[in-house]
Structures are given as structure tokens and as C-alpha cells.
Amino acid sequence: MPASPSTARAINDRLALRLLQEEGPLTAGQLKQMTGLSRPTVADLVERLTASGLITVVGEAGRQRRGPNAKLYGIVADRAHLAALDVRTESVRVVVTDLVGRVLAEASVPIGGDTGTGSVVEQAVALVERAAKEAGATGAPARHADRAWGRLHTVGIGAPGLIDPATGELRDSSGLPEWHRRLVAAVQERFPEARVSVGNEANLAALAEQRDGAARDRDTFVLLWLSHGTGAAVVLDGALRRGASGGTGEIGFLPVPGTTGLPSATDCDGGFHSLAGSAAIVELAGEYGLTVGDASERPRAAAVVRAAARTPRDESAGRFLDALADRLAVGVASVVAILDPGCVVLGGEVGQAGGEELARRVEHRVRRMSPLSTEVRPSTLGGAAVLRGALLTARDQAQEELFAPPER
């Protein structure tokens, strides 16, 4: 059935807003050309979006030609502010942006192992408050009657662990600090008008790698998360798969050869994590006489892998990379046998540190272990992918709400 006039208007408006988001400021003529809509239809949608405060004139085009200049329309970036948090066991990072993703403020705070839960939560929430204030995301400008204008609209949080698909909350886990779960509620309490959501770090990293990183040309791939711990994210036909309990990709619990035991429901020791977690990689490097050069780099495994990848012709470095590739190939081959994704991205700080040297070694081993053709690529975003993924998620959620047609 043909769309109703109101539905057609909503579709056209969303199309124009997405183009302005992706391409930047455009003239009405450019919108007509890109959308294929008629000139009167484009004029109507520009008038509607301007009246709703979503777009405004940001300049002029055609300064070099005779006659009147065409107006350039752009999204009103300060219509809403967004925040993204990357929550690790040892630190919290936050970035605040406008509606189109321009960074306005960013900050981080280290978390000591002996810091109490309440104190950590207070530190993290205060960090968000300071960044929001620096970005001008506190209070509503008097120039607009909309109370939500310019406020912190959406907060995306990336954290390790299982996300309950029914509630969207972090589930209890004996391997994660209690303050992780407390933080989400504390941020929501401090910013009651904001939409706060939490996502698994590997899943958010995969989203970022697909949008801006190593998997931009793939709609099906697996990201193997290699950081302090291990994880995986599965993207099939462009869609992120989370599983019935939110646990798709918990590869740290995968039983594998080469460990001293089996994992349990509450502890991944004995699983793939025991081969590929940061502590296990540092220990493996020590067996080949390699030590962590830059002790300040986190996780520590990234420093030793980066150093080895830079000197692969060194006998000890080369043997270490081969041994690490043997371990990683066990996990990758297991995923390939079940999903046949065609592409695996070695993500996180460790995957990025290993670069092409490590990815090439892993791909060679998987080719010998599996008849399924699989390309192995290094991450281009590394650990920054979590924060980027949380921000992309927050931006998508905010735009989904703000770009929606008003209820009648």
C-alpha cells in the first residue's frame, strides 16, 4: 500500500537528515539531487526541519557565480549533547560531543585496586559532570523554550561483562568489580533526563570497526577482542548478534587445549582466556626472554606485542609471535568452524599492537586448520574502539528520537 502523506513526509525528513549527517551542510538543490525528490517537496521538508530546530542556515554556496547565493543547511549540532564512557577495571574514560559527533570535552581517571566501590563511583560520576560542564551541556539555553535543548541527551557506556537482553543492565559477574554495575545507576541518577544505555565492550568495538575501522567493507565478520581479557563480537549480514542471554562471543570461557583445566560458570580460567588474556601473553613473552618495555602502557601485553611486531626478524621476537599466533589460531579456528564469517579482526589494544605481523601469522595457521577461507586483519582502532562504539550508539539513539516526526 502507498504511504500516507504523513508517513511520506517522515521518510523524506529522515532521509534528508541522514544526508546532512553523512555529507555535512548541503543546499536545497543538492538535497534535491541526492534524494531524487521534487523541488517543492524539498522546500517543504527544509521548512519543516528548520521550524523544528533540527537544521539551520550555516552559510552560503556559489560565491563564485553571478546571481543570488544558495543557502547551505546543516544540522543544529548543539540541539543535544552526547556522552560516551569506556569503563575498564583500572580506569574510566569519557568523551562529550554535540549531536553530529564533534568532540567538545574528554577526560579520564585511573582506578586503583584498593579504591572502595563508593569512592570509585563518585570519581567516575564527577568525571562525567566535569566533562559535561566543559562541553556546555549543563542547563538549557534561555534562547530556546525546549527544556531539553543543549542538555546531555544520551549517555552510552561500554563495559566488559554480560548485558541482560531483557533489562539492558550489566549482569552479576564474579570476575568484574561491583562498581561497574553501580556506576550505570549512578550516572542515570545524576542525569535523570538523559537516556543511559550500557553495551558490552567487544560488541561496541565491533560496531566502531565496522563503521570507521578495519571492517568497513564487511557486513559479516567476527571481532576477537584482545585486551586485559578476551571476548568476541559477531556481526552477521550487518547485524550484531547478542544471543539469547546476551552472551554471544564470551570466548574467554571456550574450552581449549593447552590449559591446565576447564573453565566454570563463574570463572574463565582454564578457557581461551588462559591462553590469550593479557597476563597469559606477558607470561608467554617471558618464556622467550621478552619483557614489557613500556610498563605504563595498558594492558601490559600490548607493549610487549608491539615491541615484538616491530622487530619480527629478531629470533626471540619471531618465536614469541609464532607461539602467540598458535594460541590465537585455536580460538579463531573454533569461531570459523561454527560461523564461517570470512573475516576475523584482531581487536583491542593487543590486536592493534600486533598489526599485520601477528594477523598474517594467525591467518596462515587458520588456513592450515580449516577449509573455510578466512581473512585475518588487525584492528585499526585498538582500545579506542570501545569509546567510539559507545559514542556511535549514543548518537544513533539520540538521532532516532530527535529525528522522529512529532506525535500528532
Side-chain angles (χ1 to χ4, degrees):
M1 295 179 62
S4 66
S6 61
T7 301
R9 285 194 295 270
I11 293 173
N12 294 339
D13 290 355
R14 294 293 289 271
L15 176 58
L17 287 165
R18 290 300 179 191
L19 284 171
L20 290 169
Q21 169 69 60
E22 296 169 2
E23 304 293 335
L26 298 169
T27 65
Q30 289 170 325
L31 282 171
K32 174 182 178 297
Q33 181 180 11
M34 293 180 176
T35 61
L37 300 173
S38 68
R39 189 178 302 276
T41 300
V42 170
D44 287 344
L45 73 83
V46 166
E47 182 178 355
R48 279 195 306 274
L49 295 176
T50 301
S52 66
L54 287 173
I55 69 172
T56 189
V57 176
V58 296
E60 294 181 343
R63 294 180 181 275
Q64 305 302 320
R65 66 179 178 84
R66 301 175 63 183
N69 296 325
K71 295 178 180 178
L72 275 171
Y73 295 93
I75 292 176
V76 179
D78 64 349
R79 179 66 177 79
H81 289 83
L82 317 171
L85 282 77
D86 180 2
V87 180
R88 305 290 181 99
T89 56
E90 300 177 342
S91 66
V92 175
R93 293 180 59 205
V94 61
V95 61
V96 179
T97 75
D98 59 23
L99 186 58
V100 298
R102 182 169 61 95
V103 175
L104 304 175
E106 52 188 329
S108 63
V109 60
I111 304 298
D114 57 347
T115 308
T117 295
S119 178
V120 172
V121 171
E122 290 175 6
Q123 287 184 48
V125 173
L127 188 74
V128 180
E129 288 182 310
R130 290 197 302 271
K133 184 177 181 179
E134 180 182 341
T138 55
R143 64 181 176 83
H144 201 280
D146 186 350
R147 290 175 57 250
W149 189 286
R151 290 185 181 274
L152 197 57
H153 183 282
T154 307
V155 180
I157 300 175
L162 291 170
I163 310 297
D164 190 318
T167 65
E169 298 177 349
L170 273 169
R171 291 171 53 182
D172 287 318
S173 173
S174 60
L176 296 175
E178 180 185 350
W179 65 267
H180 278 197
R181 298 185 71 247
R182 291 271 302 276
L183 177 60
V184 177
V187 171
Q188 184 67 81
E189 182 179 350
R190 174 58 187 85
F191 298 96
E193 296 182 3
R195 175 189 295 184
V196 179
S197 63
V198 60
N200 172 268
E201 60 180 1
N203 288 343
L204 293 176
L207 172 63
E209 294 285 0
Q210 186 180 33
R211 296 272 194 95
D212 303 324
R216 281 175 293 182
D217 60 336
R218 307 289 306 199
D219 62 359
T220 294
F221 70 99
V222 168
L223 178 132
L224 179 60
W225 179 250
L226 300 169
S227 184
H228 292 282
T230 57
V234 177
V235 177
L236 301 178
D237 298 324
L240 182 69
R241 306 297 181 177
R242 295 179 172 85
S245 61
T248 295
E250 286 296 321
I251 198 171
F253 288 88
L254 179 72
V256 292
T259 65
T260 57
L262 291 173
S264 70
T266 58
D267 192 343
C268 58
D269 283 346
F272 182 66
H273 173 81
S274 295
L275 295 182
S278 178
I281 293 175
V282 171
E283 183 179 352
L284 178 67
E287 295 175 10
Y288 290 91
L290 303 180
T291 58
V292 177
D294 184 0
S296 65
E297 187 171 359
R298 292 289 184 269
R300 294 173 63 218
V304 71
V305 170
R306 190 184 312 280
R310 287 173 177 169
T311 58
R313 294 182 182 276
D314 176 83
E315 182 179 0
S316 295
R319 291 172 59 206
F320 162 66
L321 290 174
D322 285 339
L324 178 57
D326 288 340
R327 291 185 174 194
L328 298 182
V330 171
V332 172
S334 299
V335 170
V336 167
I338 300 298
L339 298 175
D340 186 19
C343 177
V344 173
V345 176
L346 302 184
E349 292 91 347
V350 175
Q352 184 182 42
E356 292 290 349
E357 279 293 334
L358 181 59
R360 178 175 54 81
R361 283 171 163 82
V362 174
E363 180 176 317
H364 177 69
R365 285 156 176 77
V366 173
R367 190 181 301 123
R368 292 186 314 195
M369 298 167 67
S370 171
L372 307 177
S373 177
T374 306
E375 181 182 3
V376 179
R377 302 176 178 178
S379 164
T380 59
L381 301 177
V386 178
L387 197 64
R388 180 62 180 164
L391 178 59
L392 288 169
T393 301
R395 193 176 74 183
D396 288 348
Q397 291 174 341
Q399 291 181 354
E400 184 71 23
E401 178 179 323
L402 294 172
F403 292 177
E407 296 182 3
R408 300 186 181 279

